[in-house]
Amino acid sequence: MCSSDLRQESTAVSYRLGVDVGGTFTDLLLVDEASGATWSAKVPSTPQDQSIGVLTGLERVCNKAGISPKQIDHVMHGTTVATNTVLTGTGAKCGLVTTRGYRQVLQIARSYVPGGLGGWVIYNKSLPMAPLSCTIEAHERIGAHGDVVEKLDEARLREDLRKLRKKNIEALTVSLINAFANDTHEQRVLAIAGEELPGIPVSLSSQVVPEMQEYERTVTTVANSYVRPRVARYVRNLTEKLAAKTDAVKLHILRSDGGLASAKSSEEFPVNLLMSGHE
């Protein structure tokens, strides 16, 4: 029996695979956790479905190492899916729920414009990822210290959510004033949206970025909604394909801060993947 056959049958040896998908090439690095030996491979990226390039590279690097893909127990993956979705403007049609009086939070944004006086003349503000026509106001108010100043008007919210449903939104953002201090109303909006907009993914600002600064919190959460459907489809697709090739492999996705997120977390909070895995 040759040494490669022995490797394939061995269950004691495990391997880790690093995958970085760029716009042109997909790079892979396989590491033998016992010996520290490494093998690398480079294959063309497949923008129409990045998982195709990943699986092609996986086969190539495993052939180089003389092992079976089933010996890989951990895949660490950097991907440009979220970043490319924003750059190409191909994200989801987003709805937004704000507190009454804050409907134009994305349009007002911040008054700062780069470039001094000339910037006011030549600066073109990009369109918000959640249009004003798909933004509704929740009649509610949470105080700065987390106290309930005005209870959520659930009947009116249901009526407005039904109007959003007719606009065929593909994702919903909920960003209520001071939700970072008390997320009770956002959680209730989530529950009601699940009834009125079944199947629509909902991102809460109190979960995505529970911090002060209304505009920054809202625009970040909207970005999460914008890329969420596409990233979720990609991660689920890749997970299924890896499961067919490997044996219960653990998939982690590279975050923009250099850390790793689980596949489930990447599906729910894909904004954390923006600018990770880029060339």
Side-chain angles (χ1 to χ4, degrees):
M1 182 179 292
C2 66
S3 60
S4 62
D5 293 331
L6 290 172
R7 279 188 181 181
Q8 290 177 353
E9 292 187 358
S10 173
T11 58
V13 180
S14 61
Y15 296 80
R16 291 197 175 212
L17 179 66
V19 183
D20 180 36
V21 178
T24 307
F25 293 106
T26 294
D27 294 287
L28 302 95
L29 179 67
L30 181 67
V31 180
D32 181 335
E33 294 187 300
S35 67
T38 62
W39 298 264
S40 62
K42 181 187 288 284
V43 298
S45 294
T46 51
Q48 71 278 12
D49 182 354
Q50 290 189 0
S51 65
I52 296 174
V54 173
L55 269 293
T56 299
L58 181 145
E59 291 284 353
R60 182 170 298 181
V61 77
C62 285
N63 287 337
K64 280 188 174 182
I67 69 166
S68 165
K70 294 185 180 299
Q71 290 177 261
I72 299 173
D73 60 7
H74 194 173
V75 174
M76 296 166 287
H77 179 30
T79 174
T80 56
V81 170
T83 303
N84 289 344
T85 299
V86 173
L87 293 177
T88 57
T90 54
K93 183 178 182 180
C94 296
L96 172 62
V97 182
T98 67
T99 298
R100 179 174 55 175
Y102 288 81
R103 182 166 176 260
Q104 294 178 318
V105 60
L106 294 180
Q107 286 71 27
I108 295 173
R110 293 296 182 196
S111 61
Y112 171 74
V113 175
L117 182 60
W120 292 95
V121 179
I122 64 174
Y123 177 62
N124 294 317
K125 185 188 294 184
S126 59
L127 294 175
M129 295 179 184
L132 193 60
S133 60
C134 293
T135 301
I136 63 175
E137 294 179 315
H139 290 243
E140 65 83 40
R141 181 77 183 204
I142 296 292
H145 299 290
D147 51 311
V148 178
V149 177
E150 178 184 351
K151 291 184 178 180
L152 175 65
D153 188 334
E154 297 188 5
R156 183 170 294 188
L157 175 66
R158 288 182 183 276
E159 181 180 342
D160 290 338
L161 286 174
R162 293 186 191 115
K163 293 178 182 178
L164 274 185
R165 185 173 59 194
K166 295 179 181 179
K167 295 181 182 293
N168 298 317
I169 63 170
E170 300 168 307
L172 181 68
T173 294
V174 183
S175 184
L176 305 179
I177 186 72
N178 296 323
F180 65 90
N182 182 349
D183 69 346
T184 300
H185 285 175
E186 285 202 347
Q187 289 291 340
R188 187 55 190 153
V189 174
L190 173 65
I192 294 173
E195 298 171 2
E196 300 295 340
L197 302 171
I200 299 298
V202 182
S203 299
L204 304 184
S205 72
S206 54
Q207 294 180 342
V208 175
V209 53
E211 301 176 3
M212 295 177 65
Q213 305 297 337
E214 202 65 21
Y215 169 68
E216 286 79 2
R217 181 158 51 90
T218 302
V219 74
T220 301
T221 310
V222 168
N224 191 76
S225 293
Y226 187 74
V227 302
R228 186 172 178 178
R230 174 164 290 192
V231 171
R233 284 194 299 269
Y234 172 70
V235 172
R236 285 195 294 266
N237 182 36
L238 180 60
T239 300
E240 291 173 1
K241 289 184 177 181
L242 285 174
K245 289 283 186 179
T246 63
D247 186 14
V249 68
K250 295 178 181 178
L251 173 64
H252 285 86
I253 312 294
L254 181 67
R255 292 164 46 106
S256 57
D257 61 4
L260 292 172
S262 67
K264 184 176 185 300
S265 177
S266 299
E267 290 183 34
E268 295 180 359
F269 306 109
V271 72
N272 294 323
L273 311 183
L274 285 173
M275 300 308 294
S276 69
H278 69 290
E279 291 183 311

